[in-house]
Amino acid sequence: MIGIIGGYGEVGHHACLTLQQYGMGPLKIGGRNPEKGKARQSDVLPDAIWEQVDVEDDESLSGFIAGCDLVLNCAAPSHRYSRRIARICLQHHVNMVDAGIDNDYHSNPLETGDNIIVYAAGATPGFSGLFPLWFGQQFDKVHSLLSYYGTSGQLSKAGAEDYLEGSLHSGNVPRAAWRNGIVPNVLSRKSGIELPFFPGEVTLFPLFDDETHLVAQRLGLENGTWYAAVEGEKSIAALDSASFEYKANPQAMIEKLCFAVEMDTLGRSPYFILMVQLTGESEGQEKTQTAVFEVGEIIPFCGKMAAIITKAALDGKVKPGLHHTVSLEDISYVMDHLEKTDSTHSIQVIDHSIEELSVEEEGTL
């Protein structure tokens, strides 16, 4: 039995469809109003079991989790619920995969015993860390990494809250990069930047968190630089005020960011783009390549990723313990299943640096 908490939300729904595609189950879908979910989705999930569960109530969670082999958590905002659900799963000796993240897992981990807890099983964090690791397998040795990710589309209040909690977390190192270790205050924001494959000008915000730290360590990097590419004046202005306003009035800041994103994305096609440049050695030669991942809507992709990580856990691809998705050993398993289940994305590996690709777009390469 696979229990999916938040299984009739958008991420959870797509996770359920992918699990059904794999022939996995039975699926027990939980939420505060399961009849509402059943009425909307029973035609595409005809064999699912629908059950009420309140993520704010430990007794309700315990009743839902008992008897499951694994629980997939898609309830948001995940920073509120991830640890609570994980703790109750461990009480019942039930494994768990979380599409989201508790921002304190790294500094304050859970003792899992013989059970499995995998978190950050979505697009970012999650796939955004697995992708450069997969790309790095095409090198004998990786020396440096340069990464940009950007997304455009509607933002839910729960998604905005998780984003703000993650980006403003006290454990983040400001404007940091990897230089054979974490070095703070070496990067700065860049405005009015045009990047290949991105549809318009973006502002680059330095990015360094637990996921990028793990990527740097697993690749054995000498240099690693990550940026979030943000499009839209209103979104950028909202983020500029977030560090003060979110502390003063979290709900107002969440609504402000959602409105800004809505205004900036009106009439635009959604996208999630991850562009990674690696420099290293292959067959005794120095080489630089750029890998680009593109998908239209990020939410269905998050659901598919969560389902793939769930399948990995059930297929014995994850050892007992508390794991960030980027810590999974069999990266090819994840990428192979993504190719089998998602025809909406594209991956390109190009024998040029990002700088060379930028020149090519201007027609002078």
Side-chain angles (χ1 to χ4, degrees):
M1 176 77 73
I2 303 173
I4 304 96
I5 298 176
Y8 54 85
E10 290 189 74
V11 172
H13 174 64
H14 288 281
C16 290
L17 291 177
T18 305
L19 290 170
Q20 179 177 257
Q21 181 182 342
Y22 288 142
M24 303 185 74
L27 305 180
K28 181 169 70 169
I29 302 174
R32 287 193 177 95
N33 189 351
E35 291 303 318
K36 179 179 178 182
K38 185 177 181 179
R40 292 189 311 185
Q41 299 171 358
S42 59
D43 56 333
V44 292
L45 295 166
D47 299 322
I49 301 164
W50 301 82
E51 188 172 305
Q52 197 273 341
V53 61
D54 184 353
V55 292
E56 302 280 2
D57 185 285
D58 286 1
E59 185 175 345
S60 176
L61 281 169
S62 186
F64 180 86
I65 290 167
C68 291
D69 299 299
L70 181 145
V71 166
L72 170 58
N73 178 39
C74 296
S78 59
H79 80 96
R80 293 191 198 176
Y81 305 129
S82 179
R83 185 175 290 263
R84 165 181 264 173
I85 295 170
R87 178 175 53 78
I88 296 174
C89 282
L90 292 174
Q91 289 174 0
H92 289 276
H93 305 287
V94 172
N95 297 323
M96 172 179 159
V97 171
D98 198 328
I101 188 170
D102 180 291
N103 296 305
D104 294 321
Y105 273 147
H106 187 73
S107 60
N108 184 22
L110 290 169
E111 293 293 333
T112 63
D114 294 331
N115 289 108
I116 294 167
I117 303 290
V118 185
Y119 61 96
T124 177
F127 181 79
S128 52
L130 288 178
F131 185 64
L133 295 178
W134 166 81
F135 184 25
Q137 293 176 341
Q138 302 180 40
F139 290 71
D140 297 326
K141 171 67 177 173
V142 179
H143 299 306
S144 65
L145 172 151
L146 174 62
S147 176
Y148 302 96
Y149 93 83
T151 183
S152 177
Q154 296 300 302
L155 184 64
S156 69
K157 289 183 179 180
E161 184 173 338
D162 271 335
Y163 177 83
L164 290 166
E165 285 285 336
S167 61
L168 299 175
H169 189 258
S170 59
N172 292 349
V173 183
R175 298 179 294 281
W178 183 266
R179 304 289 185 261
N180 286 312
I182 305 171
V183 181
N185 300 313
V186 294
L187 302 178
S188 59
R189 189 174 81 171
K190 300 179 181 180
S191 301
I193 304 298
E194 293 186 359
L195 292 172
F197 300 98
F198 284 74
E201 282 191 356
V202 295
T203 295
L204 301 178
F205 290 84
L207 173 67
F208 199 92
D209 55 17
D210 290 343
E211 178 176 279
T212 55
H213 190 181
L214 288 167
V215 170
Q217 290 178 317
R218 286 197 67 178
L219 287 176
L221 294 177
E222 297 170 12
N223 296 286
T225 303
W226 289 262
Y227 289 100
V230 180
E231 183 183 11
E233 293 181 0
K234 292 180 174 60
S235 299
I236 293 164
L239 292 174
D240 281 341
S241 65
S243 58
F244 171 75
E245 291 188 28
Y246 187 62
K247 292 178 183 178
N249 190 334
Q251 193 58 43
M253 184 63 233
I254 290 166
E255 293 176 0
K256 178 178 179 178
L257 180 58
C258 289
F259 180 75
V261 170
E262 181 180 1
M263 292 297 100
D264 283 336
T265 57
L266 281 175
R268 299 187 183 185
S269 298
Y271 65 80
F272 171 58
I273 299 173
L274 180 59
M275 181 166 59
V276 179
Q277 173 190 298
L278 296 182
T279 299
E281 302 169 18
S282 180
E283 299 180 346
Q285 300 292 320
E286 187 85 5
K287 74 172 182 179
T288 297
Q289 290 184 316
T290 300
V292 184
F293 177 88
E294 296 181 81
V295 71
E297 296 187 39
I298 192 171
I299 289 177
F301 177 66
C302 285
K304 290 172 184 178
M305 274 298 301
I308 291 170
I309 302 304
T310 297
K311 180 169 171 56
L314 290 170
D315 283 353
K317 297 295 183 179
V318 185
K319 297 178 181 178
L322 176 68
H323 305 283
H324 192 294
T325 291
V326 172
S327 300
L328 300 187
E329 294 181 4
D330 196 344
I331 299 165
S332 295
Y333 176 96
V334 177
M335 296 301 293
D336 290 346
H337 279 79
L338 180 61
E339 290 301 312
K340 294 174 184 176
T341 59
D342 190 350
S343 60
T344 63
H345 73 269
S346 68
I347 296 175
Q348 300 179 64
V349 177
I350 307 164
D351 292 324
H352 290 293
S353 68
I354 293 173
E355 182 179 1
E356 289 170 335
L357 291 171
S358 298
V359 174
E360 183 178 16
E361 283 201 343
E362 295 171 6
T364 58
L365 183 64

CSV table of all heavy atoms in Angstrom, one decimal, residues 37-60:
chain,number,residue,atom,x,y,z
A,37,GLY,N,-11.6,15.2,-4.0
A,37,GLY,CA,-10.6,14.7,-4.9
A,37,GLY,C,-11.2,13.5,-5.7
A,37,GLY,O,-10.9,13.4,-6.9
A,38,LYS,N,-11.9,12.6,-5.1
A,38,LYS,CA,-12.5,11.5,-5.7
A,38,LYS,C,-13.5,11.9,-6.8
A,38,LYS,O,-13.5,11.3,-7.9
A,38,LYS,CB,-13.3,10.6,-4.7
A,38,LYS,CG,-13.8,9.3,-5.3
A,38,LYS,CD,-14.5,8.5,-4.2
A,38,LYS,CE,-15.0,7.2,-4.8
A,38,LYS,NZ,-15.6,6.3,-3.7
A,39,ALA,N,-14.3,12.9,-6.6
A,39,ALA,CA,-15.2,13.4,-7.6
A,39,ALA,C,-14.5,13.9,-8.8
A,39,ALA,O,-15.0,13.7,-10.0
A,39,ALA,CB,-16.1,14.5,-7.0
A,40,ARG,N,-13.3,14.5,-8.6
A,40,ARG,CA,-12.6,15.1,-9.8
A,40,ARG,C,-11.7,14.1,-10.5
A,40,ARG,O,-11.5,14.2,-11.7
A,40,ARG,CB,-11.7,16.3,-9.3
A,40,ARG,CG,-12.5,17.5,-8.9
A,40,ARG,CD,-11.6,18.7,-8.6
A,40,ARG,NE,-10.4,18.3,-7.8
A,40,ARG,CZ,-9.5,19.2,-7.4
A,40,ARG,NH1,-9.6,20.4,-7.7
A,40,ARG,NH2,-8.5,18.8,-6.6
A,41,GLN,N,-11.2,13.1,-9.8
A,41,GLN,CA,-10.1,12.3,-10.3
A,41,GLN,C,-10.4,10.8,-10.4
A,41,GLN,O,-9.5,10.0,-10.8
A,41,GLN,CB,-8.8,12.5,-9.5
A,41,GLN,CG,-8.4,14.0,-9.5
A,41,GLN,CD,-7.3,14.3,-8.5
A,41,GLN,OE1,-6.9,13.4,-7.8
A,41,GLN,NE2,-6.8,15.5,-8.5
A,42,SER,N,-11.5,10.3,-9.9
A,42,SER,CA,-11.8,8.8,-9.8
A,42,SER,C,-11.8,8.3,-11.2
A,42,SER,O,-11.5,7.1,-11.4
A,42,SER,CB,-13.0,8.5,-9.1
A,42,SER,OG,-14.2,9.1,-9.7
A,43,ASP,N,-12.1,9.1,-12.3
A,43,ASP,CA,-12.2,8.5,-13.6
A,43,ASP,C,-10.8,8.2,-14.1
A,43,ASP,O,-10.6,7.2,-14.9
A,43,ASP,CB,-12.9,9.5,-14.6
A,43,ASP,CG,-12.2,10.9,-14.6
A,43,ASP,OD1,-11.6,11.2,-13.6
A,43,ASP,OD2,-12.3,11.6,-15.6
A,44,VAL,N,-9.8,8.9,-13.7
A,44,VAL,CA,-8.4,8.6,-14.2
A,44,VAL,C,-7.6,7.8,-13.1
A,44,VAL,O,-6.5,7.2,-13.4
A,44,VAL,CB,-7.6,9.9,-14.5
A,44,VAL,CG1,-8.2,10.6,-15.7
A,44,VAL,CG2,-7.6,10.8,-13.3
A,45,LEU,N,-8.2,7.6,-11.9
A,45,LEU,CA,-7.6,6.8,-10.9
A,45,LEU,C,-8.6,5.9,-10.3
A,45,LEU,O,-9.0,5.9,-9.2
A,45,LEU,CB,-7.0,7.7,-9.8
A,45,LEU,CG,-5.8,8.6,-10.2
A,45,LEU,CD1,-5.5,9.6,-9.1
A,45,LEU,CD2,-4.5,7.7,-10.4
A,46,PRO,N,-9.2,5.0,-11.2
A,46,PRO,CA,-10.3,4.2,-10.8
A,46,PRO,C,-10.1,3.2,-9.7
A,46,PRO,O,-11.1,2.8,-9.0
A,46,PRO,CB,-10.7,3.4,-12.1
A,46,PRO,CG,-9.4,3.4,-12.9
A,46,PRO,CD,-8.7,4.6,-12.5
A,47,ASP,N,-8.9,2.8,-9.4
A,47,ASP,CA,-8.6,1.8,-8.4
A,47,ASP,C,-8.1,2.4,-7.1
A,47,ASP,O,-7.8,1.6,-6.2
A,47,ASP,CB,-7.6,0.7,-8.9
A,47,ASP,CG,-8.1,0.0,-10.2
A,47,ASP,OD1,-9.4,-0.3,-10.2
A,47,ASP,OD2,-7.3,-0.3,-11.1
A,48,ALA,N,-8.0,3.7,-7.0
A,48,ALA,CA,-7.5,4.3,-5.8
A,48,ALA,C,-8.5,4.2,-4.6
A,48,ALA,O,-9.7,4.2,-4.8
A,48,ALA,CB,-7.1,5.8,-6.1
A,49,ILE,N,-7.9,4.2,-3.4
A,49,ILE,CA,-8.6,4.3,-2.2
A,49,ILE,C,-8.5,5.7,-1.7
A,49,ILE,O,-7.5,6.3,-1.7
A,49,ILE,CB,-8.1,3.3,-1.2
A,49,ILE,CG1,-8.1,1.9,-1.7
A,49,ILE,CG2,-8.8,3.5,0.2
A,49,ILE,CD1,-7.2,0.9,-0.9
A,50,TRP,N,-9.7,6.3,-1.3
A,50,TRP,CA,-9.7,7.7,-0.9
A,50,TRP,C,-10.0,7.8,0.6
A,50,TRP,O,-11.0,7.2,1.0
A,50,TRP,CB,-10.7,8.5,-1.7
A,50,TRP,CG,-10.5,8.4,-3.2
A,50,TRP,CD1,-10.8,7.4,-4.0
A,50,TRP,CD2,-9.8,9.4,-4.0
A,50,TRP,NE1,-10.4,7.7,-5.3
A,50,TRP,CE2,-9.8,8.9,-5.3
A,50,TRP,CE3,-9.2,10.6,-3.7
A,50,TRP,CZ2,-9.2,9.6,-6.3
A,50,TRP,CZ3,-8.6,11.3,-4.7
A,50,TRP,CH2,-8.6,10.8,-6.0
A,51,GLU,N,-9.2,8.5,1.3
A,51,GLU,CA,-9.3,8.5,2.8
A,51,GLU,C,-9.0,9.9,3.3
A,51,GLU,O,-8.1,10.6,2.9
A,51,GLU,CB,-8.4,7.5,3.4
A,51,GLU,CG,-8.6,7.2,4.9
A,51,GLU,CD,-7.8,6.1,5.4
A,51,GLU,OE1,-7.9,5.0,4.8
A,51,GLU,OE2,-7.0,6.3,6.4
A,52,GLN,N,-9.8,10.3,4.4
A,52,GLN,CA,-9.6,11.6,5.0
A,52,GLN,C,-8.3,11.5,5.9
A,52,GLN,O,-8.1,10.6,6.6
A,52,GLN,CB,-10.8,11.9,5.8
A,52,GLN,CG,-10.9,13.4,6.2
A,52,GLN,CD,-10.1,13.8,7.5
A,52,GLN,OE1,-9.8,12.9,8.3
A,52,GLN,NE2,-9.8,15.0,7.7
A,53,VAL,N,-7.5,12.6,5.8
A,53,VAL,CA,-6.4,12.8,6.7
A,53,VAL,C,-6.1,14.3,6.9
A,53,VAL,O,-6.2,15.1,5.9
A,53,VAL,CB,-5.1,12.1,6.2
A,53,VAL,CG1,-4.6,12.6,4.8
A,53,VAL,CG2,-4.0,12.2,7.2
A,54,ASP,N,-5.9,14.6,8.1
A,54,ASP,CA,-5.6,16.0,8.5
A,54,ASP,C,-4.1,16.1,8.9
A,54,ASP,O,-3.7,15.6,9.9
A,54,ASP,CB,-6.5,16.5,9.6
A,54,ASP,CG,-6.3,17.9,10.0
A,54,ASP,OD1,-5.4,18.6,9.5
A,54,ASP,OD2,-7.1,18.4,10.9
A,55,VAL,N,-3.3,16.9,8.1
A,55,VAL,CA,-1.9,17.0,8.3
A,55,VAL,C,-1.6,17.8,9.6
A,55,VAL,O,-0.5,17.8,10.0
A,55,VAL,CB,-1.2,17.6,7.1
A,55,VAL,CG1,-1.2,16.6,5.9
A,55,VAL,CG2,-1.7,18.9,6.7
A,56,GLU,N,-2.6,18.5,10.1
A,56,GLU,CA,-2.4,19.2,11.4
A,56,GLU,C,-2.7,18.4,12.6
A,56,GLU,O,-2.5,18.8,13.7
A,56,GLU,CB,-3.3,20.4,11.4
A,56,GLU,CG,-3.1,21.4,10.2
A,56,GLU,CD,-2.0,22.3,10.4
A,56,GLU,OE1,-1.2,22.2,11.4
A,56,GLU,OE2,-1.7,23.2,9.5
A,57,ASP,N,-3.1,17.1,12.4
A,57,ASP,CA,-3.5,16.3,13.5
A,57,ASP,C,-2.7,15.0,13.5
A,57,ASP,O,-2.8,14.2,12.6
A,57,ASP,CB,-5.0,16.0,13.4
A,57,ASP,CG,-5.6,15.2,14.6
A,57,ASP,OD1,-5.3,14.0,14.7
A,57,ASP,OD2,-6.3,15.8,15.4
A,58,ASP,N,-1.9,14.8,14.6
A,58,ASP,CA,-1.1,13.6,14.7
A,58,ASP,C,-1.9,12.3,14.7
A,58,ASP,O,-1.5,11.3,14.1
A,58,ASP,CB,-0.2,13.6,15.9
A,58,ASP,CG,0.9,14.6,15.8
A,58,ASP,OD1,1.0,15.3,14.7
A,58,ASP,OD2,1.7,14.8,16.7
A,59,GLU,N,-3.0,12.3,15.4
A,59,GLU,CA,-3.8,11.1,15.4
A,59,GLU,C,-4.4,10.7,14.1
A,59,GLU,O,-4.4,9.5,13.7
A,59,GLU,CB,-5.0,11.3,16.4
A,59,GLU,CG,-5.8,10.0,16.7
A,59,GLU,CD,-6.8,10.2,17.7
A,59,GLU,OE1,-6.8,11.2,18.5
A,59,GLU,OE2,-7.7,9.3,17.8
A,60,SER,N,-4.8,11.7,13.3
A,60,SER,CA,-5.3,11.5,12.0
A,60,SER,C,-4.2,11.0,11.1
A,60,SER,O,-4.4,10.0,10.3
A,60,SER,CB,-5.9,12.8,11.4
A,60,SER,OG,-6.3,12.6,10.1
